[in-house]
Structure formats: structure tokens, C-alpha cells
Amino acid sequence: MRRGQHSETAEAMAAIRAGMCRYPVADRLVEDPFAERFVVGRYRFLAAISRFAPARCLLRWGIEVLNPGAISYIGLRHRTFDDALRKSLGSGVRRVVLLGAGFDSRALRFSSHGATFVEIDHPDTQAVKRAVLEKNGWFGTPRERIELRAADLEAVPLRRVLDEIQAGVDPVLIIWEGVAWYLTEASVRQTLADLAAWAPPGSELVFDTIDAAVVDGRRNDRAARAHRDYCRRRGEPIQWGLDRERAAPFLQEQGWALAQLTPATAAAERYFTKETRLGQPLPFMFFVFATRGAPLRGAQHRDL
């Protein structure tokens, strides 16, 4: 991210969510009526032409050529995390932490549940988000309980940011979306440890990551090579992946107990129907669900 500018990735994700709202019902993994309001920069034109079906198809085809499976994966990830949030809110969770929130709109889409959403992200990205929220009257009202915490985590340790947020005693849900594999292993370990040290017992964490075999070259099929090359060209090379066979001990070392590990392909089996025309998602990505507290018995692990 360039200094003084908001995250292009955050805007791109908002543009993709906005486009998905216009897909046929069978392909519409995400319903986000707020997404387009956050497309304020270079992706505004693409979001606008996505209103038209031919342009939408062309855009999706172009992304699939560059990074096969990316569109499906982004939609499945957002839908999976939405459902995790819905489940947590239904069980009584009333505080949600979005780490690297970008232009996420869950605080708006789930405002009727009365939860407070604490969003942590870079000051430049949050400045744009705050402006959009204020312009549309979505910020500072009793209904939209949004707490923005601006922090450059490359300069300020996460634990210092968390220290300024009163943890309380009730469990929270932490969503860490689309970030982990761009960090070094040391940074991932520190982030997970800082979150575990702050989160009350019983808290839940959900994040996504990539198979370590893609990072170290053990997996070198076309999809793996295309994704590595795509990330490198964007200036955001993949630096870390999770060895799924060591997922449970890795998380336990940082203070978390593995609850479930779900490959993106398994999520596709759950959400895709016979009418779905989206291609298969990135086959080496998976979603990690963990809890803070004593290790769960019989943690669920579905192989890739």
C-alpha cells in the first residue's frame, strides 16, 4: 500500500462484492448492498460497468485468466465468514473484531443484532472508510455500532493496539480475512499470540490461509504457479502457508485450539448448486476456525 493512499486491495474486494450482487441468484454468494459506496478510486469504473451482464462476464473471465479460481474463492470466503458471524451472533456474541478490516461492511449488514464491531486497519484506509460512513449517515448512530481503530501495524505492535481496547470477560469473534499468507511466519505467530493474550476465554477466531506446499514449491501445478505469480506481480508475494497436518499444534503454540479446518473446495460443495456457473475456487486455500481456551475434543479436519 502506498503511503497516503487507501488499500487498493480493500477497494478491489468491495468492487468484487458489488459485482457479485448483480450475479444470477445461483451465483450470488454475497449480498452486500453497501459495497459499491466504498469503491471510490481506480475500481469505480469497473464497478459501474459490472451493472451490465456482458461486461460482468468479461471482467470475470479476465480475472480467471490471471488468477484461476480467485473470484469463486473470494465469494466463498466472504459467505463462509458471514455464516460464522451469523452463528456467533446467534449464540450471544456481542463484540466482533475485524483485523485488517479494509472496506468490510459487516457492521452495517449485521447491525440489527446489536453487536459492536471493532475495526482495526491502516490510518489511510480507515480515513476513507470513515468519510464514506459519515457521508452516508452510517457512522455514530446507535444502530451502527462501529469502533474504528486506526493503526499502522508495520510500525505499531498489535498488542499495543489491543491494549487500548478493553477486552472484557465475554467471548468475542475475531475475523482476520485475506491477510495471513502475505505475512512472514514470525508475524503470523506474533499476531495469533497477541490476539490470544487479549481475547477472553471462549472467544472464536476465523481466518483464511494457503497450503504451505504452494509456498515452498511442493505444489507446483498450474493453479499454484498462477496464484504465486499473480501475487508477486501485484507486489504482495506469498510468504507463509499453513501445513494442514500441523495446524492443530501450530495454533496451540499461539494459544488457540483448532475447531475446524475447511478447504475452499469443501465450501464450494456446501454453497454451490447445480445452477451455479462459477468455476471452482482456489484449490489450495482453506478456512481456519479456532477457539480461545482449552483444546476442543475431536477437532474437525477435512483434507484438501
Side-chain angles (χ1 to χ4, degrees):
M1 191 174 81
R2 297 176 183 175
R3 186 174 297 276
Q5 295 185 8
H6 67 271
S7 166
E8 287 189 3
T9 300
E11 185 180 353
M13 295 302 101
I16 289 172
R17 296 198 309 272
M20 282 189 168
C21 292
R22 303 183 180 107
Y23 285 0
V25 174
D27 293 348
R28 199 177 304 163
L29 297 171
V30 176
E31 290 285 357
D32 189 346
F34 304 99
E36 191 166 0
R37 301 293 184 93
F38 293 101
V39 185
V40 295
R42 62 182 296 184
Y43 293 96
R44 187 183 300 173
F45 173 72
L46 297 180
I49 65 173
S50 72
R51 293 188 178 93
F52 305 101
R56 207 160 47 237
C57 292
L58 184 61
L59 287 171
R60 191 162 71 182
W61 174 82
I63 295 173
E64 284 296 307
V65 169
L66 293 172
N67 195 10
I71 290 290
S72 297
Y73 175 72
I74 291 167
L76 284 167
R77 178 180 68 194
H78 214 73
R79 176 67 176 273
T80 299
F81 288 13
D82 273 2
D83 283 354
L85 172 58
R86 193 173 288 109
K87 182 179 179 181
S88 291
L89 294 173
S91 67
V93 168
R94 286 298 172 264
R95 185 153 58 155
V96 181
V97 176
L98 301 173
L99 182 58
F103 293 155
D104 189 292
S105 70
R106 291 186 176 98
L108 302 172
R109 292 188 289 117
F110 290 88
S111 62
S112 63
H113 292 267
T116 296
F117 286 76
V118 181
E119 303 194 3
I120 302 172
D121 211 331
H122 193 280
D124 294 334
T125 298
Q126 282 212 341
V128 173
K129 186 165 194 175
R130 180 183 290 272
V132 173
L133 291 170
E134 291 177 343
K135 178 180 179 180
N136 289 279
W138 296 335
F139 191 62
T141 68
R143 180 179 173 85
E144 282 76 34
R145 302 179 183 181
I146 308 171
E147 189 177 318
L148 299 181
R149 297 280 179 165
D152 181 355
L153 296 180
E154 292 183 357
V156 179
L158 175 60
R159 62 181 178 276
R160 188 182 303 174
V161 179
L162 294 172
D163 284 343
E164 297 175 357
I165 306 170
Q166 187 174 356
V169 297
D170 296 326
V172 303
L173 171 66
I174 301 168
I175 298 176
W176 191 25
E177 183 174 2
V179 178
W181 62 89
Y182 297 122
L183 306 179
T184 63
E185 179 174 338
S187 295
V188 172
R189 285 182 177 273
Q190 189 63 59
T191 297
L192 293 173
D194 288 348
L195 291 170
W198 173 83
S203 294
E204 300 171 324
L205 166 70
V206 56
F207 69 98
D208 60 321
T209 189
I210 191 169
D211 189 345
V214 175
V215 184
D216 62 24
R218 284 177 292 141
R219 178 163 185 162
N220 202 35
D221 53 57
R222 178 177 175 272
R225 292 195 304 272
H227 190 63
R228 283 197 302 263
D229 292 345
Y230 178 78
C231 292
R232 188 164 50 246
R233 287 196 303 270
R234 285 179 55 86
E236 298 178 324
I238 302 168
Q239 300 193 72
W240 174 77
L242 182 62
D243 185 339
R244 62 186 186 273
E245 299 302 327
R246 276 197 42 80
F250 176 85
L251 288 166
Q252 192 168 33
E253 289 167 7
Q254 324 315 320
W256 294 94
L258 178 65
Q260 184 171 321
L261 189 154
T262 303
T265 49
E269 293 175 7
R270 176 180 180 183
Y271 292 114
F272 284 2
T273 68
K274 293 180 179 180
E275 289 75 32
T276 300
R277 294 182 298 174
L278 294 173
Q280 284 299 305
L282 297 167
F284 37 73
M285 306 297 293
F286 47 92
F287 310 124
V288 181
F289 301 82
T291 59
R292 178 73 180 101
L296 296 180
R297 296 179 180 177
Q300 299 177 47
H301 177 179
R302 297 186 63 180
D303 285 331
L304 295 174

mmCIF file of all heavy atoms in Angstrom, residues 22 36 39 43-52 55 59:
data_model
loop_
_atom_site.group_PDB
_atom_site.id
_atom_site.type_symbol
_atom_site.label_atom_id
_atom_site.label_comp_id
_atom_site.label_asym_id
_atom_site.label_seq_id
_atom_site.Cartn_x
_atom_site.Cartn_y
_atom_site.Cartn_z
ATOM 1 N N ARG A 22 -24.884 -8.523 -8.436
ATOM 2 C CA ARG A 22 -25.596 -8.477 -9.714
ATOM 3 C C ARG A 22 -25.524 -9.792 -10.465
ATOM 4 O O ARG A 22 -26.011 -9.894 -11.588
ATOM 5 C CB ARG A 22 -25.014 -7.354 -10.567
ATOM 6 C CG ARG A 22 -25.062 -5.989 -9.874
ATOM 7 C CD ARG A 22 -24.556 -4.882 -10.773
ATOM 8 N NE ARG A 22 -24.624 -3.610 -10.092
ATOM 9 C CZ ARG A 22 -23.567 -2.937 -9.631
ATOM 10 N NH1 ARG A 22 -22.355 -3.439 -9.789
ATOM 11 N NH2 ARG A 22 -23.718 -1.788 -9.020
ATOM 12 N N GLU A 36 -20.676 -1.017 -3.017
ATOM 13 C CA GLU A 36 -20.326 -0.087 -4.086
ATOM 14 C C GLU A 36 -19.992 1.303 -3.557
ATOM 15 O O GLU A 36 -19.220 2.040 -4.177
ATOM 16 C CB GLU A 36 -21.451 -0.006 -5.115
ATOM 17 C CG GLU A 36 -21.044 0.743 -6.371
ATOM 18 C CD GLU A 36 -22.010 0.548 -7.512
ATOM 19 O OE1 GLU A 36 -23.018 -0.176 -7.343
ATOM 20 O OE2 GLU A 36 -21.774 1.126 -8.588
ATOM 21 N N VAL A 39 -16.311 1.869 -3.195
ATOM 22 C CA VAL A 39 -15.470 1.842 -4.391
ATOM 23 C C VAL A 39 -15.293 3.287 -4.840
ATOM 24 O O VAL A 39 -16.120 3.845 -5.562
ATOM 25 C CB VAL A 39 -16.100 0.984 -5.503
ATOM 26 C CG1 VAL A 39 -15.155 0.873 -6.696
ATOM 27 C CG2 VAL A 39 -16.440 -0.400 -4.975
ATOM 28 N N TYR A 43 -11.161 1.538 -9.064
ATOM 29 C CA TYR A 43 -12.081 0.454 -9.413
ATOM 30 C C TYR A 43 -13.514 0.947 -9.625
ATOM 31 O O TYR A 43 -14.402 0.152 -9.876
ATOM 32 C CB TYR A 43 -12.054 -0.621 -8.322
ATOM 33 C CG TYR A 43 -10.740 -1.355 -8.249
ATOM 34 C CD1 TYR A 43 -9.763 -0.972 -7.341
ATOM 35 C CD2 TYR A 43 -10.461 -2.422 -9.107
ATOM 36 C CE1 TYR A 43 -8.544 -1.633 -7.286
ATOM 37 C CE2 TYR A 43 -9.249 -3.083 -9.052
ATOM 38 C CZ TYR A 43 -8.293 -2.682 -8.144
ATOM 39 O OH TYR A 43 -7.084 -3.334 -8.099
ATOM 40 N N ARG A 44 -13.722 2.246 -9.530
ATOM 41 C CA ARG A 44 -15.079 2.783 -9.671
ATOM 42 C C ARG A 44 -15.663 2.481 -11.043
ATOM 43 O O ARG A 44 -16.827 2.111 -11.172
ATOM 44 C CB ARG A 44 -15.075 4.292 -9.424
ATOM 45 C CG ARG A 44 -16.468 4.906 -9.382
ATOM 46 C CD ARG A 44 -16.402 6.413 -9.212
ATOM 47 N NE ARG A 44 -15.728 6.768 -7.964
ATOM 48 C CZ ARG A 44 -15.423 8.013 -7.637
ATOM 49 N NH1 ARG A 44 -15.686 9.008 -8.468
ATOM 50 N NH2 ARG A 44 -14.830 8.272 -6.489
ATOM 51 N N PHE A 45 -14.844 2.628 -12.077
ATOM 52 C CA PHE A 45 -15.324 2.365 -13.438
ATOM 53 C C PHE A 45 -15.718 0.900 -13.597
ATOM 54 O O PHE A 45 -16.757 0.571 -14.180
ATOM 55 C CB PHE A 45 -14.250 2.740 -14.451
ATOM 56 C CG PHE A 45 -14.583 2.356 -15.865
ATOM 57 C CD1 PHE A 45 -15.560 3.037 -16.576
ATOM 58 C CD2 PHE A 45 -13.940 1.288 -16.483
ATOM 59 C CE1 PHE A 45 -15.879 2.673 -17.880
ATOM 60 C CE2 PHE A 45 -14.244 0.916 -17.773
ATOM 61 C CZ PHE A 45 -15.222 1.616 -18.476
ATOM 62 N N LEU A 46 -14.885 -0.005 -13.061
ATOM 63 C CA LEU A 46 -15.175 -1.432 -13.192
ATOM 64 C C LEU A 46 -16.457 -1.795 -12.446
ATOM 65 O O LEU A 46 -17.257 -2.605 -12.919
ATOM 66 C CB LEU A 46 -14.003 -2.259 -12.666
ATOM 67 C CG LEU A 46 -12.679 -2.100 -13.420
ATOM 68 C CD1 LEU A 46 -11.609 -2.973 -12.791
ATOM 69 C CD2 LEU A 46 -12.846 -2.451 -14.896
ATOM 70 N N ALA A 47 -16.645 -1.190 -11.278
ATOM 71 C CA ALA A 47 -17.866 -1.457 -10.518
ATOM 72 C C ALA A 47 -19.088 -0.949 -11.272
ATOM 73 O O ALA A 47 -20.153 -1.574 -11.263
ATOM 74 C CB ALA A 47 -17.785 -0.803 -9.143
ATOM 75 N N ALA A 48 -18.932 0.165 -11.946
ATOM 76 C CA ALA A 48 -20.058 0.752 -12.680
ATOM 77 C C ALA A 48 -20.453 -0.112 -13.878
ATOM 78 O O ALA A 48 -21.634 -0.393 -14.091
ATOM 79 C CB ALA A 48 -19.695 2.161 -13.139
ATOM 80 N N ILE A 49 -19.468 -0.566 -14.666
ATOM 81 C CA ILE A 49 -19.822 -1.343 -15.856
ATOM 82 C C ILE A 49 -20.268 -2.752 -15.499
ATOM 83 O O ILE A 49 -20.865 -3.443 -16.325
ATOM 84 C CB ILE A 49 -18.660 -1.386 -16.876
ATOM 85 C CG1 ILE A 49 -17.458 -2.145 -16.309
ATOM 86 C CG2 ILE A 49 -18.279 0.010 -17.311
ATOM 87 C CD1 ILE A 49 -16.352 -2.376 -17.333
ATOM 88 N N SER A 50 -19.996 -3.184 -14.255
ATOM 89 C CA SER A 50 -20.432 -4.528 -13.857
ATOM 90 C C SER A 50 -21.951 -4.611 -13.740
ATOM 91 O O SER A 50 -22.501 -5.692 -13.541
ATOM 92 C CB SER A 50 -19.781 -4.937 -12.536
ATOM 93 O OG SER A 50 -20.320 -4.218 -11.445
ATOM 94 N N ARG A 51 -22.626 -3.474 -13.866
ATOM 95 C CA ARG A 51 -24.096 -3.491 -13.894
ATOM 96 C C ARG A 51 -24.612 -4.204 -15.134
ATOM 97 O O ARG A 51 -25.752 -4.665 -15.173
ATOM 98 C CB ARG A 51 -24.646 -2.068 -13.875
ATOM 99 C CG ARG A 51 -24.409 -1.292 -12.582
ATOM 100 C CD ARG A 51 -25.162 0.029 -12.612
ATOM 101 N NE ARG A 51 -24.992 0.777 -11.380
ATOM 102 C CZ ARG A 51 -24.061 1.701 -11.189
ATOM 103 N NH1 ARG A 51 -23.207 1.977 -12.176
ATOM 104 N NH2 ARG A 51 -23.967 2.342 -10.052
ATOM 105 N N PHE A 52 -23.769 -4.276 -16.166
ATOM 106 C CA PHE A 52 -24.178 -4.849 -17.440
ATOM 107 C C PHE A 52 -23.614 -6.268 -17.570
ATOM 108 O O PHE A 52 -22.410 -6.485 -17.393
ATOM 109 C CB PHE A 52 -23.689 -3.972 -18.589
ATOM 110 C CG PHE A 52 -24.128 -2.539 -18.457
ATOM 111 C CD1 PHE A 52 -23.247 -1.576 -17.986
ATOM 112 C CD2 PHE A 52 -25.419 -2.162 -18.766
ATOM 113 C CE1 PHE A 52 -23.640 -0.256 -17.846
ATOM 114 C CE2 PHE A 52 -25.830 -0.846 -18.633
ATOM 115 C CZ PHE A 52 -24.941 0.106 -18.168
ATOM 116 N N ALA A 55 -20.369 -7.053 -19.704
ATOM 117 C CA ALA A 55 -19.157 -6.528 -19.076
ATOM 118 C C ALA A 55 -18.790 -7.349 -17.845
ATOM 119 O O ALA A 55 -17.616 -7.608 -17.577
ATOM 120 C CB ALA A 55 -19.365 -5.060 -18.687
ATOM 121 N N LEU A 59 -15.245 -9.205 -17.316
ATOM 122 C CA LEU A 59 -14.399 -8.935 -16.163
ATOM 123 C C LEU A 59 -14.064 -10.230 -15.426
ATOM 124 O O LEU A 59 -12.920 -10.463 -15.044
ATOM 125 C CB LEU A 59 -15.101 -7.956 -15.218
ATOM 126 C CG LEU A 59 -15.181 -6.498 -15.678
ATOM 127 C CD1 LEU A 59 -16.085 -5.702 -14.740
ATOM 128 C CD2 LEU A 59 -13.790 -5.875 -15.729
#
